[in-house]
């Protein structure tokens, strides 16, 4: 039995869907799925809260929220990895579903734009998961959600519709929840696991 495994995450404001997988989409094994809490409920939208403050106080709030989120992410990922290792699985990589790749502007510009508030919050919570994976020594694959299915289909030599069926079937025995969150988390975990071992040191992107 193949005991290699990977983690996948689809992140939202304040929480993340986490799925642990082994095998491939053609021969899948879902090992675990969880909802990871990444913030106190009051801090779920840190940039929206910061928008209401003077700039220096906004920076202080965001620094506090970053520390809190990083700690919660590390604790949650540590627990997930530990549980899987106790079951005899070797975690080899993890993947994080990302947004569009673009650099954020300075904070004052972010706070002046409602759209950028949401973008910055996405980055805030995804980066916490990335750091937690790296702290565990796991190569981290980041792929934008738009195009993830097509990229995975190419890697697995199949067609996107067939891959979608495989993702749906993989969670059927588990029962709900098996929504887009869990499916995408599983997909990027499989994609990270499928990377050649000698390339995993450079997965983060």
């Amino acid at each position: 039995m193949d005991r290699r495994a990977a983690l996948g995450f689809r992140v939202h404001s304040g929480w993340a869907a986490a799925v642990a997988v082994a095998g491939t989409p053609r021969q899948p094994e879902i090992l675990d799925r969880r909802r990871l809490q990444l913030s106190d409920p009051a801090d779920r939208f840190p940039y929206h809260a910061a928008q209401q403050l003077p700039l220096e106080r906004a920076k202080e709030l965001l620094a506090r929220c970053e520390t809190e989120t990083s700690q919660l992410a590390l604790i949650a990922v540590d627990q997930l990895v530990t549980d899987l290792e106790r079951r005899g699985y070797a975690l080899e990589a993890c993947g994080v579903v990302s947004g569009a790749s673009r650099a954020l502007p300075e904070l004052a510009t972010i706070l002046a734009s409602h759209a950028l508030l949401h973008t910055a919050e996405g980055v805030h919570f995804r980066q916490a998961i990335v750091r937690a994976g790296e702290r565990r020594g796991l190569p981290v694959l980041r792929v934008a959600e738009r195009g993830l299915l097509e990229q995975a289909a190419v890697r697995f030599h199949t067609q996107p519709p067939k891959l979608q069926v495989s993702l749906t079937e993989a969670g059927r025995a588990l029962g709900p929840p098996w929504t887009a969150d869990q499916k995408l988390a599983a997909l990027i975990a499989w994609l990270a696991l499928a990377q050649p071992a000698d390339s995993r040191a450079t997965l983060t992107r």
Side-chain angles (χ1 to χ4, degrees):
M1 180 179 180
D2 190 353
R3 308 299 286 185
R4 300 163 54 250
L7 303 176
F9 303 91
R10 192 189 193 204
V11 182
H12 294 269
S13 288
W15 66 280
V19 177
V21 307
T24 72
R26 293 186 179 183
Q27 294 182 305
E29 183 181 4
I30 306 298
L31 306 176
D32 203 318
R33 62 173 173 188
R34 300 182 187 184
R35 177 185 171 112
L36 308 185
Q37 197 65 35
L38 300 179
S39 75
D40 183 281
D43 295 325
R44 184 180 173 190
F45 300 104
Y47 280 82
H48 282 74
Q51 188 185 42
Q52 310 303 316
L53 302 174
L55 187 58
E56 289 306 312
R57 288 185 59 198
K59 291 178 180 178
E60 293 172 1
L61 171 65
L62 292 172
R64 177 180 63 78
C65 289
E66 181 175 337
T67 298
E68 174 191 77
T69 296
S70 294
Q71 290 174 342
L72 289 172
L74 184 59
I75 290 169
V77 172
D78 273 348
Q79 187 62 61
L80 183 51
V81 171
T82 297
D83 290 348
L84 290 165
E85 288 178 342
R86 285 174 178 165
R87 292 166 57 187
Y89 287 94
L91 272 295
E92 295 195 354
C94 72
V96 178
V97 180
S98 295
S101 178
R102 61 170 175 167
L104 288 171
E106 62 183 12
L107 181 58
T109 301
I110 293 172
L111 298 180
S113 166
H114 185 74
L116 286 175
L117 295 179
H118 288 282
T119 300
E121 283 166 351
V123 171
H124 169 85
F125 289 107
R126 284 192 296 269
Q127 281 298 110
I129 292 291
V130 169
R131 287 192 295 268
E134 291 174 340
R135 285 280 298 273
R136 289 295 313 215
L138 297 173
V140 181
L141 175 66
R142 288 185 281 182
V143 178
E145 182 170 329
R146 179 176 292 182
L148 172 58
L149 181 65
E150 289 74 16
Q151 181 172 325
V154 170
R155 181 69 181 83
F156 292 116
H157 308 290
T158 187
Q159 297 298 317
K162 291 183 178 180
L163 190 50
Q164 286 180 315
V165 170
S166 294
L167 286 168
T168 298
E169 290 297 323
R172 187 179 299 278
L174 298 175
W178 191 252
T179 66
D181 286 321
Q182 288 78 31
K183 292 174 185 177
L184 289 171
L187 182 58
I188 199 164
W190 277 318
L191 192 57
L193 188 60
Q195 301 297 315
D198 59 2
S199 72
R200 288 194 176 133
T202 58
L203 282 184
T204 301
R205 66 173 183 258

